[in-house]
Amino acid sequence: MDGANGHAPNGSASTSGATFERIQVINDEKQFTPDLTKQLERWGLRDAGFDYNIVAVFGSQSTGKSTLLNRLFGTTFDVMDETRRQQTTKGIWMCRGKDMNVLVMDVEGTDGRERGEDQDFERKSALFSLASSEVLIVNLWEHQVGLYQGANMGLLKTVFEVNLGLFGKRSPKGGANGRTLLLFVIRDHIGTTPLVNLQATITADLNKIWESLSKPEELQGCQLSDYFDLAFTGLPHKILVPDKFESEVKQLRRRFVEKDKEDFLFKPAYHKGIPADGVAFYMEGIWEQVQSNKDLDLPTQQELLAQFRCDEISTAALADFNEQAKSQKRPVEAGRVVEGLGQLMRNWRTEALARYDRDASRYHKGVYKRKRQDLLGVIDSTLSPLFLGQLKNLHKLCLSSFKKEVLDSLKGEDYSFADVVGKARDKWEGAFVEAAKEACIEGPEWSWEEEYTLLKEETQIVADQCRKDETKKMVNAIERNFKKQISEPVELYLNQPSGDMWDKVLKVFKETLEKAESTYLVKAKSFNCTEEENQTALATLRKRAWLVLRAKVDEQTTDTVFLGKLRSHFDERFRYDEHGVPRVWKPEDDIDGAFKRAREETLELISLYSKISPTDSSLQFTLPSEPSDSLNNADEFDFPATLVVFSDSKCLDLTNKFRRDADAYYVEAKRSTVSSVAQ
Ligand code: GDP
Ligand code: MG
């Protein structure tokens, strides 16, 4: 025995492929091979599911067991070399049947019953074979039949005992996977005693053994036939009638192969229900239990197997899944909206589950379902951050796209603000919903509605801000236009001082303002402004308009401009006659009287200009003295103060200034009379 783990190296009778490889499942040191899974894979049986069978052989040493198996299944078990006559099979070997999904186990012969150690192995290998095989071939010479004390009967007693331990606790009918076929192959059957007789003898012996077994209380009444089916066949002498031997063996082989024939030996009822990919683990578990002399109970073994395999299958499914999920983790974390992420996630999830289901559903249903739930949990908790990330990124994308679209449209002309915002909103909120729905997968309770609500709130905020900006822009434009419109008429009226000067000014002011207000209202209709916003905007407009007017008044009443106005007013009355002809003063003229009249009339203008007050009180304009301008955050605004053009002291100051100017004209006029007299 060599090889790292004390197992004989895999021999191969043919170089053509793995089919002919064999493996020592249990070596002569009673160790289980670590390579069985690998070997099953090499035999191409790992994915066979339930579509495979197991057969084992029992019998004394050198009764032609290995020879028989090789003939029946095309296997490559060692056969004793005639010239040396020594035991060849140690432990348990396994081969794959040629051209058939059959695992064949060749069990060490058990002749040396004198040796106590062999009895131990016999019992253990019986347990092991029964727990896994559908058909047990019991191989014996014809002349051994009826020898109750013979080695074979001792072996069968062991098999029966062991069986009670294995399956006994279940229903006496054997349960679904509890039945086993015992196929008695009588070797060197000469034919003088017909097979039926041999069969009767063996059956009688078996029943005797069965009765002699000490059975547990609850199994007292159970029959051999509750657990075992029996089949019998004889084989002619291999050396004496080799041709007959070969043809009978061929017949027997047929019964292992032809599934649709009535005498097919691998009946479904015998299958132990272990999926091919779990066979190695299952057998190893059984052997461990057997070795440590623990009670072996198959349902528990099957559940353990299911747990182990379902975990393995789940892990394998997850490995691929994780790889796939990882591929989109980065883009999502980087803020990208991954096109078709939902479909991707659905595919990964379905694939992983399908993979799991394909392999794991063959195992214990309860375990399979439980582990499936676990797998789903892991899958969904891996996908969840991707989903949430996608939503977040979608939210950002849709919001910024909405904003950009609105701003771009507002750059153009002739748009309706409400339409622009409404369309962009429908488009991008719609885009969000569509993509969010796409990202959802059926199963976990994921929802996108909350994020959607947030998005809608934020688009509203953006829309509000844009509307405010737009309103502001519009009010500014209207203000500019207003300024243009009133500039000329106001300048004209202020240059023609008369009692109803302010009436005219205020009239044109009010008319222009009215037009401006209605311009605003027309435009504001498309903004979906609230009533309150409209009132605020209009108030701002009125105040701005008033300030525009006041600025115009200020411009027309600076000291220089205003003194100029007074001067020309005075001139018209003092230096020119009523026909507008310059006066040439003669000594007899009443210069003093004319001067005084012109001066007094002119000085009256100061009080006319000093306050904006119409004679017609219906033209009186007023504004609320509100604390601030909401659009401009301007300072406090005191309307009555704005009506005053010149304060009292200013009036006085202007009066003095003008008087000085007028005095100069007077002196000049006097001097001109003197000079004209002197000429
Ligand atoms: P095993 O120990 O039971 O596996 O027996 P083997 O297959 O190694 O065969 C033992 C010896 O019996 C070999 O020499 C075979 O040639 C011989 N042998 C095999 N089959 C038969 C048979 O049907 N009849 C007889 N008489 N000898 C056989
Ligand atoms: Mg052998």
Side-chain angles (χ1 to χ4, degrees):
M1 219 59 30
D2 51 9
N5 23 33
H7 285 83
N10 296 353
S12 174
S14 160
T15 49
S16 68
T19 307
F20 301 109
E21 287 173 2
R22 60 197 174 192
I23 184 166
Q24 193 178 20
V25 179
I26 289 152
N27 66 12
D28 54 352
E29 280 151 33
K30 299 187 180 133
Q31 289 164 329
F32 195 89
T33 177
D35 300 322
L36 185 53
T37 296
K38 233 185 295 163
Q39 188 59 55
L40 286 170
E41 180 121 48
R42 287 173 64 78
W43 281 331
L45 288 176
R46 211 185 128 78
D47 293 324
F50 295 128
D51 184 21
Y52 76 99
N53 303 105
I54 302 186
V55 58
V57 73
F58 262 65
S60 317
Q61 255 185 56
S62 301
T63 47
K65 296 190 298 295
S66 303
T67 306
L68 176 65
L69 293 179
N70 289 347
R71 290 289 200 293
L72 285 176
F73 303 107
T75 49
T76 55
F77 295 115
D78 276 342
V79 170
M80 193 188 77
D81 182 346
E82 284 297 346
T83 58
R84 285 192 280 160
R85 296 205 70 87
Q86 60 177 38
Q87 190 191 350
T88 49
T89 305
K90 297 260 187 191
I92 299 178
W93 285 77
M94 188 189 274
C95 275
R96 191 215 145 129
K98 184 170 178 282
D99 302 327
M100 57 211 289
N101 285 1
V102 175
L103 296 174
V104 187
M105 291 200 285
D106 193 3
V107 181
E108 180 182 331
T110 50
D111 247 5
R113 289 188 54 76
E114 308 81 46
R115 290 186 291 155
E117 195 204 331
D118 278 341
Q119 282 182 39
D120 179 55
F121 182 74
E122 179 183 299
R123 192 186 160 75
K124 283 175 176 165
S125 56
L127 252 173
F128 179 74
S129 306
L130 259 186
S132 49
S133 305
E134 294 147 73
V135 177
L136 264 185
I137 297 177
V138 182
N139 192 61
L140 70 170
W141 300 122
E142 183 183 357
H143 61 75
Q144 288 178 300
V145 175
L147 297 179
Y148 183 71
Q149 303 303 329
N152 282 292
M153 292 304 135
L155 173 67
L156 286 172
K157 190 171 181 208
T158 305
V159 168
F160 293 163
E161 272 171 4
V162 154
N163 185 77
L164 280 181
L166 275 185
F167 302 105
K169 291 180 195 99
R170 306 167 87 190
S171 89
K173 287 289 159 210
N177 300 324
R179 288 189 86 73
T180 305
L181 175 68
L182 297 179
L183 173 64
F184 288 85
V185 179
I186 295 150
R187 308 293 291 270
D188 289 2
H189 181 219
I190 304 166
T192 42
T193 314
L195 182 64
V196 273
N197 292 12
L198 297 171
Q199 183 173 331
T201 308
I202 295 173
T203 310
D205 283 350
L206 293 178
N207 283 323
K208 249 182 268 171
I209 297 173
W210 185 261
E211 253 124 61
S212 74
L213 290 181
S214 52
K215 296 182 212 58
E217 192 67 39
E218 68 273 21
L219 297 175
Q220 281 306 325
C222 70
Q223 302 296 308
L224 174 68
S225 58
D226 291 335
Y227 298 99
F228 293 102
D229 283 341
L230 305 177
F232 300 87
T233 190
L235 284 179
H237 199 292
K238 178 175 171 283
I239 319 279
L240 299 181
V241 280
D243 291 350
K244 277 191 83 180
F245 174 80
E246 295 299 339
S247 72
E248 294 277 317
V249 167
K250 229 178 241 161
Q251 278 305 305
L252 185 56
R253 172 181 166 81
R254 201 187 47 73
R255 297 180 61 190
F256 282 103
V257 177
E258 295 176 358
K259 291 186 199 234
D260 40 359
K261 289 279 161 60
E262 171 120 48
D263 58 356
F264 181 58
L265 291 168
F266 288 127
K267 295 233 154 57
Y270 307 143
H271 205 288
K272 296 296 174 284
I274 310 300
D277 58 359
V279 161
F281 180 84
Y282 176 73
M283 284 186 167
E284 187 170 0
I286 295 216
W287 186 253
E288 261 170 34
Q289 293 290 106
V290 167
Q291 266 296 70
S292 52
N293 288 313
K294 284 192 191 134
D295 274 350
L296 185 57
D297 117 68
L298 290 190
T300 307
Q301 283 301 310
Q302 295 207 356
E303 207 168 316
L304 285 177
L305 168 71
Q307 281 172 14
F308 176 80
R309 280 298 297 150
C310 289
D311 276 342
E312 269 193 345
I313 295 163
S314 177
T315 304
L318 266 181
D320 282 358
F321 166 82
N322 282 332
E323 205 53 44
Q324 291 167 319
K326 218 172 104 189
S327 73
Q328 298 306 326
K329 193 169 168 239
R330 229 170 243 281
V332 168
E333 279 175 359
R336 256 185 52 203
V337 173
V338 176
E339 183 94 23
L341 181 67
Q343 191 54 51
L344 284 175
M345 295 197 295
R346 277 188 288 281
N347 288 348
W348 305 333
R349 190 172 186 267
T350 313
E351 272 170 36
L353 285 179
R355 239 191 105 156
Y356 175 80
D357 288 344
R358 190 194 63 202
D359 294 336
S361 61
R362 298 192 186 108
Y363 289 92
H364 185 280
K365 286 287 164 280
V367 175
Y368 154 71
K369 281 191 188 140
R370 212 165 55 235
K371 300 278 177 188
R372 191 181 197 273
Q373 232 18 66
D374 294 350
L375 175 64
L376 262 180
V378 175
I379 287 177
D380 290 345
S381 65
T382 306
L383 294 179
S384 173
L386 287 181
F387 170 73
L388 293 176
Q390 175 91 335
L391 282 193
K392 214 178 77 204
N393 299 339
L394 254 178
H395 175 148
K396 264 194 254 162
L397 177 72
C398 290
L399 184 64
S400 65
S401 303
F402 165 77
K403 193 168 180 176
K404 186 171 181 308
E405 187 157 315
V406 168
L407 292 180
D408 282 353
S409 306
L410 294 183
K411 273 181 205 152
E413 265 165 48
D414 245 11
Y415 54 80
S416 148
F417 182 83
D419 280 0
V420 164
V421 170
K423 267 188 206 142
R425 193 167 196 165
D426 286 352
K427 178 170 165 190
W428 292 106
E429 287 177 358
F432 177 90
V433 172
E434 195 181 321
K437 279 185 180 161
E438 199 281 332
C440 276
I441 58 180
E442 232 174 277
E445 312 250 305
W446 291 351
S447 81
W448 45 268
E449 282 81 358
E450 212 168 296
E451 193 74 39
Y452 181 53
T453 308
L454 281 179
L455 174 67
K456 282 202 292 195
E457 280 168 16
E458 285 174 38
T459 48
Q460 186 59 51
I461 291 170
V462 169
D464 286 349
Q465 188 54 49
C466 286
R467 195 177 60 213
K468 273 190 190 130
D469 293 348
E470 278 301 290
T471 312
K472 211 160 163 182
K473 240 164 66 185
M474 182 173 80
V475 169
N476 286 344
I478 294 175
E479 181 190 343
R480 274 196 304 279
N481 204 34
F482 176 87
K483 193 168 176 178
K484 242 185 264 163
Q485 287 173 339
I486 64 157
S487 184
E488 237 172 81
V490 168
E491 197 168 326
L492 185 73
Y493 298 144
L494 289 183
N495 275 326
Q496 294 170 343
S498 62
D500 61 353
M501 177 182 78
W502 292 118
D503 296 56
K504 289 184 197 148
V505 168
L506 285 172
K507 193 156 173 272
V508 73
F509 170 80
K510 281 189 155 179
E511 281 166 3
T512 314
L513 179 59
E514 229 160 76
K515 268 188 270 167
E517 285 184 16
S518 63
T519 305
Y520 169 85
L521 285 173
V522 167
K523 291 199 176 174
K525 252 191 200 141
S526 92
F527 283 48
N528 283 343
C529 290
T530 62
E531 187 52 34
E532 194 191 338
E533 280 171 326
N534 277 339
Q535 289 314 317
T536 311
L538 285 175
T540 305
L541 189 61
R542 281 182 207 125
K543 194 178 124 186
R544 298 254 198 100
W546 179 252
L547 292 176
V548 164
L549 174 70
R550 276 301 279 115
K552 193 72 204 170
V553 171
D554 280 342
E555 174 200 302
Q556 293 299 312
T557 53
T558 56
D559 279 10
T560 337
V561 177
F562 187 64
L563 287 172
K565 281 194 214 299
L566 292 184
R567 202 175 304 131
S568 59
H569 192 85
F570 173 81
D571 277 356
E572 277 162 30
R573 278 154 190 74
F574 183 59
R575 302 215 288 185
Y576 296 85
D577 64 14
E578 53 273 26
H579 308 297
V581 178
R583 284 200 185 149
V584 178
W585 295 106
K586 297 180 207 87
E588 64 271 22
D589 284 342
D590 178 13
I591 295 181
D592 284 11
F595 173 73
K596 272 185 190 145
R597 257 195 321 278
R599 191 184 62 186
E600 291 321 306
E601 271 181 42
T602 303
L603 282 173
E604 276 166 21
L605 290 187
I606 294 180
S607 78
L608 172 66
Y609 277 91
S610 71
K611 185 154 192 232
I612 303 176
S613 71
T615 52
D616 178 353
S617 62
S618 72
L619 288 171
Q620 186 73 52
F621 181 76
T622 165
L623 279 179
S625 295
E626 25 148 306
S628 70
D629 176 336
S630 68
L631 289 182
N632 268 348
N633 296 324
D635 293 334
E636 220 170 298
F637 178 70
D638 174 16
F639 180 75
T642 64
L643 290 172
V644 177
V645 182
F646 301 140
S647 62
D648 286 350
S649 60
K650 185 71 191 171
C651 286
L652 204 61
D653 176 47
L654 287 169
T655 307
N656 290 336
K657 276 185 180 144
F658 176 70
R659 275 179 186 279
R660 274 199 296 280
D661 281 356
D663 286 351
Y665 290 132
Y666 175 77
V667 172
E668 189 191 316
K670 275 281 185 193
R671 200 177 291 143
S672 72
T673 50
V674 173
S675 63
S676 70
V677 169
Q679 273 167 4

